[in-house]
Amino acid sequence: YGTIEGLEVEYVPGRGSTGADSDMTLREGADHIGELQAWDLDAEELVWQGDFPDLNWGSVLTTAAGISFSKAGPPDRYFRAFDARTGEELWNQRLSSGVMGVPVTYAIDGVQCVAVQSGWGVDPASMTSRVDRVRGTFTYVPRSGTVWVFAADDLR
């Protein structure tokens, strides 16, 4: 968790101008930072939760077949598929870099595919550096710029 304080800033070309000063801390004794959760919105209840030691940065894609694709923490470089109803991990693949891109799905000649961009930088790299400073650690994630495509039918 952290705090964010608004600041007056003067725009200077080529420099950041977020208009805020932020601070981040980790809860003492926390066993994870990232979570992937599924909620029953009608009952307003948590159905399942997956905990990850590092940040869970970004989007989740859930298909009509009930498979949820998630990055589940870009520093570990794994792209994962979960059963959307139970949270069971069905499949994973370690990629060339952290996963920042939004997963997409499409069909070609009747084969459902899922694609995701693997590449590391800017926001998740900055946030991971902040976590490292608080933890006193160093996280190395290779830089890359690759689009990975998988046949979704082979993942179940």
Side-chain angles (χ1 to χ4, degrees):
Y1 63 93
T3 61
I4 299 176
E5 178 183 350
L7 301 173
E8 281 193 40
V9 295
E10 182 178 329
Y11 176 71
V12 177
R15 296 189 62 202
S17 57
T18 60
D21 184 28
S22 62
D23 176 31
M24 186 183 75
T25 59
L26 300 177
R27 185 177 44 128
E28 190 171 327
D31 63 351
H32 69 282
I33 298 174
E35 296 176 353
L36 179 61
Q37 300 177 343
W39 285 79
D40 178 331
L41 297 180
D42 292 327
E44 299 180 10
E45 294 177 349
L46 178 67
V47 177
W48 59 263
Q49 175 177 311
D51 297 339
F52 301 97
D54 293 303
L55 298 168
N56 185 4
W57 191 269
S59 305
V60 175
L61 168 73
T62 302
T63 68
I67 300 175
S68 291
F69 293 94
S70 173
K71 301 165 230 188
D76 73 6
R77 299 171 26 207
Y78 279 95
F79 184 51
R80 295 174 169 89
F82 298 90
D83 182 307
R85 290 166 194 82
T86 67
E88 175 190 0
E89 186 173 313
L90 304 172
W91 169 88
N92 68 59
Q93 174 66 49
R94 194 163 200 206
L95 306 182
S96 54
S97 186
V99 181
M100 293 171 37
V102 178
V104 296
T105 186
Y106 55 91
I108 297 178
D109 296 329
V111 176
Q112 184 177 8
C113 299
V114 62
V116 68
Q117 180 265 336
S118 174
W120 188 248
V122 191
D123 291 337
S126 173
M127 189 58 72
T128 299
S129 292
R130 293 178 78 177
V131 170
D132 279 340
R133 280 194 300 276
V134 171
R135 287 180 170 167
T137 58
F138 173 77
T139 302
Y140 171 74
V141 179
R143 297 190 184 263
S144 169
T146 307
V147 175
W148 292 75
V149 180
F150 303 95
D153 295 341
D154 295 338
L155 306 182
R156 230 186 216 286

